[in-house]
Amino acid sequence: GENVEQHPSTLSVQEGDSAVIKCTYSDSASNYFPWYKQELGKRPQLIIDIRSNVGEKKDQRIAVTLNKTAKHFSLHITETQPEDSAVYFCAAPSWRETSGSRLTFGEGTQLTVNP
Amino acid sequence: DTEVTQTPKHLVMGMTNKKSLKCEQHMGHRAMYWYKQKAKKPPELMFVYSYEKLSINESVPSRFSPECPNSSLLNLHLHALQPEDSALYLCASSQLDNNYGYTFGSGTRLTVV
């Protein structure tokens, strides 16, 4: 099955700085890589995703890059703001004929943006 | 409609109670999921339904019983739970086989007393 590793587990930055979170995956057939932001007591919210036919996707201050050869993908947040403070999860899918599709999550990164 | 709706938002139940969690989506997603999430941990997969049929059961104890009445609805029936089952229960849905648009509901915060 899929194995997803996420680093770092905690990240503290100053407001205005950039933050980068990295994930690696094991299943070379994986083709969809979402990132979720989870604030305390709330649900994981999809903030950006990338499909395997592109190498980079950007949405305002958030970008995701994908290297399929190396099997890693990264979340980049520029000009960080205190409201970016949350736990971020990466995920990768795997599909098995006998059991269908599932999404495997990384362990999460606690991002703290200090004013 | 791009939402997954879960009810109730909070639930406190005794160990002898029977209760149900409900989930609804109208995005045409044919895959629906139940997750359990403990504090500071990633969501942990419990069940997957594909085309209203159970396709994955992650060795979940039988005190949790899922049901998918139709393509828009997903229930989780709870009976004889233990205090360690207290957690955030999340429903999710996605396009089948490629996981595109994987969307979580707002969750039910369950406390077992």
Side-chain angles (χ1 to χ4, degrees):
Chain A
E2 181 72 276
N3 182 42
V4 177
E5 294 191 3
Q6 182 172 346
H7 300 281
S9 57
T10 61
L11 180 59
S12 182
V13 300
Q14 288 300 121
E15 183 176 359
D17 287 351
S18 295
V20 180
I21 304 170
K22 299 182 179 182
C23 285
T24 60
Y25 62 98
S26 59
D27 189 342
S28 56
S30 291
N31 58 2
Y32 173 68
F33 306 93
W35 284 91
Y36 293 88
K37 173 184 180 182
Q38 189 172 27
E39 297 175 73
L40 194 62
K42 297 189 176 180
R43 65 175 150 185
Q45 190 136 17
L46 179 68
I47 55 172
I48 195 167
D49 56 22
I50 190 167
R51 303 183 190 187
S52 59
N53 57 346
V54 297
E56 183 174 0
K57 182 177 177 181
K58 192 171 182 180
D59 182 3
Q60 299 182 343
R61 296 186 297 109
I62 295 173
V64 57
T65 58
L66 171 64
N67 182 329
K68 284 221 74 179
T69 303
K71 289 191 277 190
H72 67 71
F73 57 112
S74 300
L75 177 71
H76 304 255
I77 307 175
T78 58
E79 301 171 30
T80 53
Q81 301 167 4
E83 51 265 38
D84 294 329
S85 297
V87 178
Y88 290 81
F89 293 102
C90 65
S94 59
W95 185 83
R96 296 291 180 267
E97 189 172 350
T98 53
S99 60
S101 182
R102 59 180 302 166
L103 206 60
T104 301
F105 289 85
E107 285 295 308
T109 297
Q110 173 69 63
L111 173 65
T112 303
V113 180
N114 301 301
Chain B
D1 185 356
T2 58
E3 293 285 321
V4 176
T5 303
Q6 282 187 251
T7 56
K9 293 196 185 307
H10 301 275
L11 179 61
V12 179
M13 61 185 290
M15 289 188 283
T16 58
N17 290 161
K18 283 186 181 181
K19 295 286 184 183
S20 296
L21 309 185
K22 296 185 183 300
C23 174
E24 188 170 1
Q25 58 88 15
H26 296 287
M27 294 180 279
H29 289 167
R30 301 310 295 269
M32 296 186 76
Y33 313 82
W34 279 116
Y35 283 86
K36 174 183 178 179
Q37 189 180 27
K38 291 281 202 179
K40 298 183 186 289
K41 290 290 187 182
E44 180 184 333
L45 184 65
M46 300 174 72
F47 303 104
V48 180
Y49 273 83
S50 303
Y51 286 113
E52 297 93 68
K53 292 192 189 310
L54 184 65
S55 59
I56 296 177
N57 176 342
E58 290 289 286
S59 303
V60 179
S62 59
R63 57 186 184 269
F64 295 91
S65 176
E67 178 196 19
C68 190
N70 60 54
S71 60
S72 300
L73 295 174
L74 187 66
N75 299 322
L76 185 63
H77 303 298
L78 315 173
H79 174 55
L81 295 193
Q82 303 296 311
E84 58 264 30
D85 295 322
S86 299
L88 180 67
Y89 287 84
L90 294 159
C91 174
S93 71
S94 76
Q95 292 186 28
L96 197 62
D97 291 339
N98 56 28
N99 296 127
Y100 293 168
Y102 209 104
T103 304
F104 284 95
S106 54
T108 294
R109 177 73 60 187
L110 174 67
T111 304
V112 181
V113 297

